[in-house]
Amino acid sequence: MILILISTAAATGSAARAATEPTVAMPELEKKLAELAGPAAETPSEPDCGSEVARAYSARKFTSAWLTGTHPSSRAAVLRSVLEASGDEGLSPSRYRTADMARWWARTDNTSRARLEIALTEGLCRYIRDITLGRSELRSVEQATTGTNAAGVSALRALLQKALDTSSLETFLRQLPPQDAEYQQLRTALRSLRQRAREGGWKDVVAGPILKPGASDPRIPAIRQRLSVSGDFSGPLSSAIAYDAELTKAVRRFQRRHALPQEGVIGAATVSALNIPVEQRARQIIVNLERRRWNPSRSAGRQIVVNIPGFELVALNDTKTVLDMPVVVGKAYQQTPVFDEKMEYLEFNPDWLVPPALAAAEFLPELQQDPSRLARKHIRIFKGLGKDAPEVDPKSVDWKTITPTTMVRYAFRQDPGPWNALGRLKFMFPNPHNVYLHDTSEPQFFNERQRTFSHGCIRLSRPEELAAWVLEGLDPPWDRSRIRATVAGGHPLTVPLAKPIPIQLAYHTVFFKDDPLLHFLPDIYGRDAALERVLLGEETGSEHAQKPKAATTTAAPANRQASGTAATSALARTPPQKTPPAVPGGPRPKPPASVNTRMMMR
């Protein structure tokens, strides 16, 4: 029998600990901690809870945090209860060794006491990590992450120590999840949907002919019942088969919440949305809760949030929306990445230095057909990236002998003007993806519902309005008339902001807006589906659950086009992520030296 003794104490704070049993010598305890911690569910990019548990017990001189005599303390009961209820946060209780706790809870032999002690502390560590930092192996499904986050390790270590020392454990644990309204609303919605699932969910609506307001159809009672269950219809239920005004209003509300045309016409798309099972909607919320743990919402100050699948930019002052507008985002195979940065400056009348990969894919075929074609787009060719690189006459080059590899010797620059792909305004937040906000010379795309047309950047529908807002606080002031005059002047101008503004490029497919009911968006890049496969396999305990794969930068074939079909097929797989490379470039206010802010996706 393994002999291991862990001193016990009430553990109401570090000053209140008093050993009631002799401690084990450090080398032996470290060995037993490694033996008893069980198989770790860590990945190299996560803080390692096995190591942190050993460190924590060394710091507390190997006294117990959870035992009173030979029995679990009231603090241990509080912790176990919170971990078993972690499903309320969209987490899986099995990650936190709850089964081990149940197995050893009532046993009083030394080995079982040691096992329970370590299970409680390791479960606590994993829970703190998951609820405050999010899970890096899930984040890597959408974002390329490598190495261990040093700041995350430090934060986890401090929180674990505080949890072990605090005399108010229940309060401490309750305050760990994100406290912003969006997260808390999603948490409540998850509980509600799970309750609905226990009550049988909602029944499918049978497919049939398109229904327009004023029509009659035997499916109307079922549609009325379905919309009543989801809260869209609040009128009395009946067997009437007339598609009346009250039901039309409910259908339009449902369509608005599901990013469908709000015409009140019940076609295949609306029926399909009605028939998505309540369990699937709950899983979608779980995925979005996880994302919000990666990048919690700010509650104070000015900020900009771009919700990629919503094709929308929102400017906030504290939590109040002061500006919102439609945007265009990246194609399914040239996806807009998710990250947080700070907007630092704005450029008027920018030129565009075309990324080499984009030039090779799109311009080389054009030049091989007609060397003068790019000149009609105000794109000039230079021999190299240097500031003094000589301009090249496109007719002097035999483009049919040029390959994508040898084309890198040339730089392609589009002059400022209304023809420029970046438009007349560019909003800069230096980042390794070369992704920014900018105006556009193709405003017709804002008329589309699914606006996935860019090469990764965010195109703005009302850039002058955003410019006026981000330039607030400068002296002399930048009002709309001054902005228009500067744009009309045609000269390049860089204007630093009075104070950097945080900006978040987010991927939220479930959210609350100006409606007490949830809004659901299509998973345009297949990211929900990828995360769900990992989470679902984990919850069902499937030995065939897919391991998460890190985001890839594999380029798609150049002739592949974004379409509704491509976006739909992305729901069943994880499309490759196209992350533009950072390249050296000229000076700009504050950007990293490795990033050329003129060379960007559009």
Side-chain angles (χ1 to χ4, degrees), residues 328 330 334-337 339 343 345-360 362-363 379 385 411-414 420-441 453-460 494 503 505 578-586 588 591 594-602:
V328 168
Q334 289 176 311
Q335 300 178 9
T336 299
F339 61 93
M343 185 179 293
Y345 59 99
L346 186 152
E347 289 187 12
F348 287 87
N349 301 305
D351 60 13
W352 178 38
L353 191 57
V354 184
L358 186 60
E362 298 193 3
F363 293 168
I379 296 174
L385 290 170
F412 295 79
R413 188 178 73 204
Q414 189 173 41
N420 191 285
L422 308 183
R424 309 300 289 270
L425 288 164
K426 185 168 66 168
F427 301 78
M428 304 301 294
F429 39 101
N431 63 84
H433 306 284
N434 283 337
V435 166
Y436 305 96
L437 311 182
H438 62 78
D439 186 14
T440 179
S441 58
F453 299 104
S454 84
H455 292 82
C457 278
I458 295 94
R459 304 179 189 176
L460 305 172
T494 296
I503 178 169
L505 306 190
K578 175 114 173 145
T579 302
V583 296
R588 281 292 188 273
S594 62
V595 178
N596 187 329
T597 56
R598 294 165 61 218
M599 183 174 293
M600 56 187 286
M601 307 309 287
R602 60 177 175 84

Side-chain angles (χ1 to χ4, degrees), residues 135-331:
R135 294 171 54 185
S136 61
E137 86 276 20
L138 293 179
R139 188 192 300 233
S140 69
V141 174
E142 298 184 7
Q143 304 168 323
T145 56
T146 57
T148 301
N149 183 335
V153 171
S154 178
L156 174 63
R157 186 169 298 162
L159 287 171
L160 178 59
Q161 189 62 55
K162 185 174 181 180
L164 293 173
D165 289 345
T166 184
S167 59
S168 304
L169 182 63
E170 187 171 6
T171 300
F172 172 82
L173 294 173
R174 190 166 55 244
Q175 294 173 345
L176 284 177
Q179 298 298 305
D180 59 272
E182 292 92 339
Y183 183 92
Q184 293 299 322
Q185 286 174 318
L186 286 179
R187 187 180 182 277
T188 301
L190 176 61
R191 185 167 59 247
S192 176
L193 284 182
R194 282 174 165 167
Q195 179 60 34
R196 172 58 58 187
R198 286 191 289 270
E199 295 171 355
W202 44 66
K203 295 181 179 179
D204 283 355
V205 174
V206 178
I210 292 175
L211 296 177
K212 296 182 179 180
S216 294
D217 190 280
R219 294 175 296 160
I220 291 297
I223 294 172
R224 191 180 292 115
Q225 171 68 30
R226 167 64 180 84
L227 294 175
S228 176
V229 169
S230 59
D232 296 282
F233 180 77
S234 57
L237 299 178
S238 73
S239 59
I241 64 171
Y243 186 10
D244 57 23
E246 189 174 18
L247 183 57
T248 300
K249 181 180 178 181
V251 169
R252 285 177 173 152
R253 184 184 189 187
F254 177 88
Q255 290 170 334
R256 177 174 178 269
R257 294 196 303 110
H258 293 78
L260 296 167
Q262 300 169 49
E263 302 168 342
V265 175
I266 305 174
T270 298
V271 171
S272 177
L274 288 167
N275 289 344
I276 291 176
V278 65
E279 294 84 0
Q280 184 173 334
R281 290 304 190 195
R283 292 194 297 270
Q284 193 174 352
I285 292 177
I286 289 171
V287 165
N288 279 264
L289 282 169
E290 176 65 29
R291 285 200 189 99
R292 288 184 182 274
R293 288 189 284 270
W294 302 342
N295 303 101
S297 298
R298 290 167 50 88
S299 59
R302 283 152 54 91
Q303 60 180 310
I304 296 170
V305 178
V306 176
N307 188 20
I308 297 167
F311 313 112
E312 181 181 44
L313 176 146
V314 176
L316 300 164
N317 196 354
D318 294 331
T319 57
K320 181 180 179 181
T321 299
V322 295
L323 177 66
D324 65 87
M325 68 180 68
V327 299
V328 168
V329 301
K331 301 172 185 177

